Amino acid sequence: MTQDRLNARLRATKLWGLAFIVLTVIAWIAIRGLHQLIGGLFIGELGGAYVLVSLIGQGHRNDDMEGTALFASGMLGMFTRIIALVIVMVVAEHWRTYFNPYTALVGYLLGFVFVVAGLYGFAKSRKTDS
């Protein structure tokens, strides 16, 4: 039961993230004067989508990984998320006429916001035996 609730919450979090990206594309099409700001938000959200996938999509929910292997997996995930941030920021800075670096950073951080907001309700209602 708990595993089903967690999987449902993770699917909903991914769908909310995808919906936010679609809304950003619609805003980019509809609002002509803010293309640079919205473009930066969009590429940041693409990096944030990787954050979402790497944190909740590739989690170790059903395996028995522990110890050194789990630590190495977490370090690799952290390293790839930092690389994704560097790529987003370099692209936004290099093509500054198309992308705003500040909104790109905000868009990237939205991936973390979706993870925390999506799993907050699940973690709050989870029963513990302490």
Side-chain angles (χ1 to χ4, degrees), residues 54-108:
S54 73
L55 282 175
I56 65 175
Q58 300 171 352
H60 300 285
R61 296 186 309 270
N62 297 322
D63 60 11
D64 293 328
M65 188 179 288
E66 58 184 35
T68 305
L70 185 60
F71 178 76
S73 173
M75 291 303 290
L76 179 64
M78 182 187 71
F79 180 71
T80 59
R81 286 187 291 277
I82 290 172
I83 294 297
L85 174 62
V86 168
I87 290 170
V88 165
M89 293 310 293
V90 165
V91 167
E93 187 63 36
H94 189 268
W95 287 288
R96 204 175 175 101
T97 56
Y98 302 109
F99 308 113
N100 184 317
Y102 300 111
T103 58
L105 181 61
V106 168
Y108 180 81

Side-chain angles (χ1 to χ4, degrees), residues 7-125:
N7 288 332
R9 180 70 74 152
L10 295 177
R11 277 192 306 276
T13 302
K14 288 178 186 178
L15 286 175
W16 277 103
L18 183 63
F20 203 81
I21 290 173
V22 169
L23 285 175
T24 302
V25 170
I26 292 170
W28 185 80
I29 293 169
I31 304 171
R32 292 283 179 210
L34 300 176
H35 273 214
Q36 182 187 21
L37 293 173
I38 297 173
L41 186 65
F42 176 70
I43 65 163
E45 287 173 358
L46 292 180
Y50 175 73
V51 167
L52 199 69
V53 169
S54 73
L55 282 175
I56 65 175
Q58 300 171 352
H60 300 285
R61 296 186 309 270
N62 297 322
D63 60 11
D64 293 328
M65 188 179 288
E66 58 184 35
T68 305
L70 185 60
F71 178 76
S73 173
M75 291 303 290
L76 179 64
M78 182 187 71
F79 180 71
T80 59
R81 286 187 291 277
I82 290 172
I83 294 297
L85 174 62
V86 168
I87 290 170
V88 165
M89 293 310 293
V90 165
V91 167
E93 187 63 36
H94 189 268
W95 287 288
R96 204 175 175 101
T97 56
Y98 302 109
F99 308 113
N100 184 317
Y102 300 111
T103 58
L105 181 61
V106 168
Y108 180 81
L109 294 176
L110 280 174
F112 291 102
V113 169
F114 277 116
V115 169
V116 171
L119 295 178
Y120 175 75
F122 178 80
K124 185 178 175 186
S125 67

